[in-house]
mmCIF file with all atom_site columns, all heavy atoms in Angstrom:
data_model
loop_
_atom_site.group_PDB
_atom_site.id
_atom_site.type_symbol
_atom_site.label_atom_id
_atom_site.label_alt_id
_atom_site.label_comp_id
_atom_site.label_asym_id
_atom_site.label_entity_id
_atom_site.label_seq_id
_atom_site.pdbx_PDB_ins_code
_atom_site.Cartn_x
_atom_site.Cartn_y
_atom_site.Cartn_z
_atom_site.occupancy
_atom_site.B_iso_or_equiv
_atom_site.pdbx_formal_charge
_atom_site.auth_seq_id
_atom_site.auth_comp_id
_atom_site.auth_asym_id
_atom_site.auth_atom_id
_atom_site.pdbx_PDB_model_num
ATOM 1   N N   . VAL N 1 115 ? 1.555   -27.921 -51.489 1.00 63.00 ? 1424 VAL N N   1
ATOM 2   C CA  . VAL N 1 115 ? 1.691   -26.600 -52.080 1.00 63.00 ? 1424 VAL N CA  1
ATOM 3   C C   . VAL N 1 115 ? 1.726   -25.600 -50.942 1.00 63.00 ? 1424 VAL N C   1
ATOM 4   O O   . VAL N 1 115 ? 0.923   -25.679 -50.016 1.00 63.00 ? 1424 VAL N O   1
ATOM 5   C CB  . VAL N 1 115 ? 0.503   -26.302 -53.029 1.00 63.00 ? 1424 VAL N CB  1
ATOM 6   C CG1 . VAL N 1 115 ? 0.577   -24.896 -53.570 1.00 63.00 ? 1424 VAL N CG1 1
ATOM 7   C CG2 . VAL N 1 115 ? 0.462   -27.315 -54.148 1.00 63.00 ? 1424 VAL N CG2 1
ATOM 8   N N   . THR N 1 116 ? 2.656   -24.676 -50.974 1.00 64.00 ? 1425 THR N N   1
ATOM 9   C CA  . THR N 1 116 ? 2.762   -23.689 -49.905 1.00 64.00 ? 1425 THR N CA  1
ATOM 10  C C   . THR N 1 116 ? 1.620   -22.691 -49.986 1.00 64.00 ? 1425 THR N C   1
ATOM 11  O O   . THR N 1 116 ? 1.000   -22.507 -51.043 1.00 64.00 ? 1425 THR N O   1
ATOM 12  C CB  . THR N 1 116 ? 4.096   -22.928 -49.972 1.00 64.00 ? 1425 THR N CB  1
ATOM 13  O OG1 . THR N 1 116 ? 4.105   -22.143 -51.168 1.00 64.00 ? 1425 THR N OG1 1
ATOM 14  C CG2 . THR N 1 116 ? 5.281   -23.860 -49.915 1.00 64.00 ? 1425 THR N CG2 1
ATOM 15  N N   . SER N 1 117 ? 1.361   -22.031 -48.887 1.00 63.00 ? 1426 SER N N   1
ATOM 16  C CA  . SER N 1 117 ? 0.314   -21.018 -48.823 1.00 63.00 ? 1426 SER N CA  1
ATOM 17  C C   . SER N 1 117 ? 0.577   -19.905 -49.822 1.00 63.00 ? 1426 SER N C   1
ATOM 18  O O   . SER N 1 117 ? -0.334  -19.421 -50.484 1.00 63.00 ? 1426 SER N O   1
ATOM 19  C CB  . SER N 1 117 ? 0.242   -20.462 -47.400 1.00 63.00 ? 1426 SER N CB  1
ATOM 20  O OG  . SER N 1 117 ? -0.657  -19.407 -47.332 1.00 63.00 ? 1426 SER N OG  1
ATOM 21  N N   . THR N 1 118 ? 1.824   -19.502 -49.952 1.00 66.00 ? 1427 THR N N   1
ATOM 22  C CA  . THR N 1 118 ? 2.180   -18.439 -50.895 1.00 66.00 ? 1427 THR N CA  1
ATOM 23  C C   . THR N 1 118 ? 1.881   -18.862 -52.327 1.00 66.00 ? 1427 THR N C   1
ATOM 24  O O   . THR N 1 118 ? 1.317   -18.082 -53.105 1.00 66.00 ? 1427 THR N O   1
ATOM 25  C CB  . THR N 1 118 ? 3.681   -18.089 -50.754 1.00 66.00 ? 1427 THR N CB  1
ATOM 26  O OG1 . THR N 1 118 ? 3.940   -17.732 -49.401 1.00 66.00 ? 1427 THR N OG1 1
ATOM 27  C CG2 . THR N 1 118 ? 4.070   -16.951 -51.670 1.00 66.00 ? 1427 THR N CG2 1
ATOM 28  N N   . GLU N 1 119 ? 2.245   -20.098 -52.683 1.00 66.00 ? 1428 GLU N N   1
ATOM 29  C CA  . GLU N 1 119 ? 1.964   -20.591 -54.034 1.00 66.00 ? 1428 GLU N CA  1
ATOM 30  C C   . GLU N 1 119 ? 0.463   -20.634 -54.286 1.00 66.00 ? 1428 GLU N C   1
ATOM 31  O O   . GLU N 1 119 ? -0.003  -20.281 -55.360 1.00 66.00 ? 1428 GLU N O   1
ATOM 32  C CB  . GLU N 1 119 ? 2.560   -21.984 -54.234 1.00 66.00 ? 1428 GLU N CB  1
ATOM 33  C CG  . GLU N 1 119 ? 4.065   -22.011 -54.284 1.00 66.00 ? 1428 GLU N CG  1
ATOM 34  C CD  . GLU N 1 119 ? 4.626   -23.429 -54.286 1.00 66.00 ? 1428 GLU N CD  1
ATOM 35  O OE1 . GLU N 1 119 ? 4.097   -24.292 -53.558 1.00 66.00 ? 1428 GLU N OE1 1
ATOM 36  O OE2 . GLU N 1 119 ? 5.595   -23.654 -55.016 1.00 66.00 ? 1428 GLU N OE2 1
ATOM 37  N N   . LEU N 1 120 ? -0.287  -21.065 -53.290 1.00 66.00 ? 1429 LEU N N   1
ATOM 38  C CA  . LEU N 1 120 ? -1.736  -21.154 -53.425 1.00 66.00 ? 1429 LEU N CA  1
ATOM 39  C C   . LEU N 1 120 ? -2.344  -19.761 -53.590 1.00 66.00 ? 1429 LEU N C   1
ATOM 40  O O   . LEU N 1 120 ? -3.194  -19.547 -54.461 1.00 66.00 ? 1429 LEU N O   1
ATOM 41  C CB  . LEU N 1 120 ? -2.327  -21.862 -52.201 1.00 66.00 ? 1429 LEU N CB  1
ATOM 42  C CG  . LEU N 1 120 ? -3.815  -22.125 -52.222 1.00 66.00 ? 1429 LEU N CG  1
ATOM 43  C CD1 . LEU N 1 120 ? -4.207  -22.955 -53.434 1.00 66.00 ? 1429 LEU N CD1 1
ATOM 44  C CD2 . LEU N 1 120 ? -4.234  -22.842 -50.947 1.00 66.00 ? 1429 LEU N CD2 1
ATOM 45  N N   . GLN N 1 121 ? -1.903  -18.799 -52.787 1.00 68.00 ? 1430 GLN N N   1
ATOM 46  C CA  . GLN N 1 121 ? -2.412  -17.435 -52.895 1.00 68.00 ? 1430 GLN N CA  1
ATOM 47  C C   . GLN N 1 121 ? -2.084  -16.842 -54.263 1.00 68.00 ? 1430 GLN N C   1
ATOM 48  O O   . GLN N 1 121 ? -2.920  -16.173 -54.868 1.00 68.00 ? 1430 GLN N O   1
ATOM 49  C CB  . GLN N 1 121 ? -1.832  -16.563 -51.782 1.00 68.00 ? 1430 GLN N CB  1
ATOM 50  C CG  . GLN N 1 121 ? -2.388  -16.886 -50.415 1.00 68.00 ? 1430 GLN N CG  1
ATOM 51  C CD  . GLN N 1 121 ? -1.654  -16.161 -49.303 1.00 68.00 ? 1430 GLN N CD  1
ATOM 52  O OE1 . GLN N 1 121 ? -0.698  -15.436 -49.556 1.00 68.00 ? 1430 GLN N OE1 1
ATOM 53  N NE2 . GLN N 1 121 ? -2.107  -16.352 -48.077 1.00 68.00 ? 1430 GLN N NE2 1
ATOM 54  N N   . GLN N 1 122 ? -0.883  -17.109 -54.752 1.00 70.00 ? 1431 GLN N N   1
ATOM 55  C CA  . GLN N 1 122 ? -0.489  -16.598 -56.067 1.00 70.00 ? 1431 GLN N CA  1
ATOM 56  C C   . GLN N 1 122 ? -1.374  -17.215 -57.156 1.00 70.00 ? 1431 GLN N C   1
ATOM 57  O O   . GLN N 1 122 ? -1.835  -16.521 -58.055 1.00 70.00 ? 1431 GLN N O   1
ATOM 58  C CB  . GLN N 1 122 ? 0.974   -16.913 -56.330 1.00 70.00 ? 1431 GLN N CB  1
ATOM 59  C CG  . GLN N 1 122 ? 1.471   -16.353 -57.643 1.00 70.00 ? 1431 GLN N CG  1
ATOM 60  C CD  . GLN N 1 122 ? 2.944   -16.677 -57.889 1.00 70.00 ? 1431 GLN N CD  1
ATOM 61  O OE1 . GLN N 1 122 ? 3.545   -17.456 -57.171 1.00 70.00 ? 1431 GLN N OE1 1
ATOM 62  N NE2 . GLN N 1 122 ? 3.518   -16.069 -58.909 1.00 70.00 ? 1431 GLN N NE2 1
ATOM 63  N N   . THR N 1 123 ? -1.646  -18.505 -57.064 1.00 70.00 ? 1432 THR N N   1
ATOM 64  C CA  . THR N 1 123 ? -2.506  -19.173 -58.045 1.00 70.00 ? 1432 THR N CA  1
ATOM 65  C C   . THR N 1 123 ? -3.915  -18.590 -58.018 1.00 70.00 ? 1432 THR N C   1
ATOM 66  O O   . THR N 1 123 ? -4.522  -18.339 -59.062 1.00 70.00 ? 1432 THR N O   1
ATOM 67  C CB  . THR N 1 123 ? -2.544  -20.688 -57.773 1.00 70.00 ? 1432 THR N CB  1
ATOM 68  O OG1 . THR N 1 123 ? -1.213  -21.194 -57.846 1.00 70.00 ? 1432 THR N OG1 1
ATOM 69  C CG2 . THR N 1 123 ? -3.429  -21.409 -58.783 1.00 70.00 ? 1432 THR N CG2 1
ATOM 70  N N   . ILE N 1 124 ? -4.446  -18.356 -56.826 1.00 73.00 ? 1433 ILE N N   1
ATOM 71  C CA  . ILE N 1 124 ? -5.797  -17.790 -56.698 1.00 73.00 ? 1433 ILE N CA  1
ATOM 72  C C   . ILE N 1 124 ? -5.841  -16.385 -57.294 1.00 73.00 ? 1433 ILE N C   1
ATOM 73  O O   . ILE N 1 124 ? -6.787  -16.035 -57.999 1.00 73.00 ? 1433 ILE N O   1
ATOM 74  C CB  . ILE N 1 124 ? -6.251  -17.800 -55.221 1.00 73.00 ? 1433 ILE N CB  1
ATOM 75  C CG1 . ILE N 1 124 ? -6.515  -19.244 -54.783 1.00 73.00 ? 1433 ILE N CG1 1
ATOM 76  C CG2 . ILE N 1 124 ? -7.482  -16.932 -55.017 1.00 73.00 ? 1433 ILE N CG2 1
ATOM 77  C CD1 . ILE N 1 124 ? -6.754  -19.418 -53.305 1.00 73.00 ? 1433 ILE N CD1 1
ATOM 78  N N   . ARG N 1 125 ? -4.799  -15.576 -57.040 1.00 71.00 ? 1434 ARG N N   1
ATOM 79  C CA  . ARG N 1 125 ? -4.742  -14.231 -57.621 1.00 71.00 ? 1434 ARG N CA  1
ATOM 80  C C   . ARG N 1 125 ? -4.747  -14.292 -59.151 1.00 71.00 ? 1434 ARG N C   1
ATOM 81  O O   . ARG N 1 125 ? -5.463  -13.560 -59.816 1.00 71.00 ? 1434 ARG N O   1
ATOM 82  C CB  . ARG N 1 125 ? -3.492  -13.500 -57.133 1.00 71.00 ? 1434 ARG N CB  1
ATOM 83  C CG  . ARG N 1 125 ? -3.783  -12.474 -56.061 1.00 71.00 ? 1434 ARG N CG  1
ATOM 84  C CD  . ARG N 1 125 ? -2.571  -11.660 -55.676 1.00 71.00 ? 1434 ARG N CD  1
ATOM 85  N NE  . ARG N 1 125 ? -2.011  -12.283 -54.485 1.00 71.00 ? 1434 ARG N NE  1
ATOM 86  C CZ  . ARG N 1 125 ? -0.800  -12.787 -54.394 1.00 71.00 ? 1434 ARG N CZ  1
ATOM 87  N NH1 . ARG N 1 125 ? 0.042   -12.719 -55.375 1.00 71.00 ? 1434 ARG N NH1 1
ATOM 88  N NH2 . ARG N 1 125 ? -0.382  -13.368 -53.288 1.00 71.00 ? 1434 ARG N NH2 1
ATOM 89  N N   . ILE N 1 126 ? -3.944  -15.195 -59.695 1.00 74.00 ? 1435 ILE N N   1
ATOM 90  C CA  . ILE N 1 126 ? -3.863  -15.338 -61.153 1.00 74.00 ? 1435 ILE N CA  1
ATOM 91  C C   . ILE N 1 126 ? -5.214  -15.761 -61.719 1.00 74.00 ? 1435 ILE N C   1
ATOM 92  O O   . ILE N 1 126 ? -5.693  -15.213 -62.718 1.00 74.00 ? 1435 ILE N O   1
ATOM 93  C CB  . ILE N 1 126 ? -2.757  -16.345 -61.544 1.00 74.00 ? 1435 ILE N CB  1
ATOM 94  C CG1 . ILE N 1 126 ? -1.381  -15.742 -61.238 1.00 74.00 ? 1435 ILE N CG1 1
ATOM 95  C CG2 . ILE N 1 126 ? -2.865  -16.741 -63.011 1.00 74.00 ? 1435 ILE N CG2 1
ATOM 96  C CD1 . ILE N 1 126 ? -0.233  -16.734 -61.299 1.00 74.00 ? 1435 ILE N CD1 1
ATOM 97  N N   . LEU N 1 127 ? -5.855  -16.728 -61.065 1.00 73.00 ? 1436 LEU N N   1
ATOM 98  C CA  . LEU N 1 127 ? -7.162  -17.185 -61.536 1.00 73.00 ? 1436 LEU N CA  1
ATOM 99  C C   . LEU N 1 127 ? -8.218  -16.090 -61.416 1.00 73.00 ? 1436 LEU N C   1
ATOM 100 O O   . LEU N 1 127 ? -9.067  -15.935 -62.296 1.00 73.00 ? 1436 LEU N O   1
ATOM 101 C CB  . LEU N 1 127 ? -7.605  -18.429 -60.754 1.00 73.00 ? 1436 LEU N CB  1
ATOM 102 C CG  . LEU N 1 127 ? -6.840  -19.707 -61.062 1.00 73.00 ? 1436 LEU N CG  1
ATOM 103 C CD1 . LEU N 1 127 ? -7.245  -20.812 -60.092 1.00 73.00 ? 1436 LEU N CD1 1
ATOM 104 C CD2 . LEU N 1 127 ? -7.067  -20.146 -62.490 1.00 73.00 ? 1436 LEU N CD2 1
ATOM 105 N N   . SER N 1 128 ? -8.163  -15.305 -60.343 1.00 71.00 ? 1437 SER N N   1
ATOM 106 C CA  . SER N 1 128 ? -9.126  -14.211 -60.169 1.00 71.00 ? 1437 SER N CA  1
ATOM 107 C C   . SER N 1 128 ? -8.993  -13.184 -61.283 1.00 71.00 ? 1437 SER N C   1
ATOM 108 O O   . SER N 1 128 ? -9.981  -12.740 -61.860 1.00 71.00 ? 1437 SER N O   1
ATOM 109 C CB  . SER N 1 128 ? -8.916  -13.525 -58.814 1.00 71.00 ? 1437 SER N CB  1
ATOM 110 O OG  . SER N 1 128 ? -9.169  -14.419 -57.775 1.00 71.00 ? 1437 SER N OG  1
ATOM 111 N N   . VAL N 1 129 ? -7.756  -12.813 -61.593 1.00 71.00 ? 1438 VAL N N   1
ATOM 112 C CA  . VAL N 1 129 ? -7.517  -11.857 -62.677 1.00 71.00 ? 1438 VAL N CA  1
ATOM 113 C C   . VAL N 1 129 ? -7.969  -12.450 -64.006 1.00 71.00 ? 1438 VAL N C   1
ATOM 114 O O   . VAL N 1 129 ? -8.604  -11.775 -64.817 1.00 71.00 ? 1438 VAL N O   1
ATOM 115 C CB  . VAL N 1 129 ? -6.022  -11.447 -62.731 1.00 71.00 ? 1438 VAL N CB  1
ATOM 116 C CG1 . VAL N 1 129 ? -5.713  -10.661 -63.997 1.00 71.00 ? 1438 VAL N CG1 1
ATOM 117 C CG2 . VAL N 1 129 ? -5.660  -10.638 -61.500 1.00 71.00 ? 1438 VAL N CG2 1
ATOM 118 N N   . ALA N 1 130 ? -7.669  -13.726 -64.222 1.00 70.00 ? 1439 ALA N N   1
ATOM 119 C CA  . ALA N 1 130 ? -8.067  -14.373 -65.479 1.00 70.00 ? 1439 ALA N CA  1
ATOM 120 C C   . ALA N 1 130 ? -9.585  -14.402 -65.616 1.00 70.00 ? 1439 ALA N C   1
ATOM 121 O O   . ALA N 1 130 ? -10.125 -14.141 -66.691 1.00 70.00 ? 1439 ALA N O   1
ATOM 122 C CB  . ALA N 1 130 ? -7.501  -15.792 -65.539 1.00 70.00 ? 1439 ALA N CB  1
#
Side-chain angles (χ1 to χ4, degrees):
V1424 176
T1425 66
S1426 174
T1427 304
E1428 291 172 320
L1429 184 58
Q1430 289 171 358
Q1431 183 180 9
T1432 301
I1433 289 171
R1434 257 186 263 119
I1435 290 168
L1436 289 172
S1437 296
V1438 170

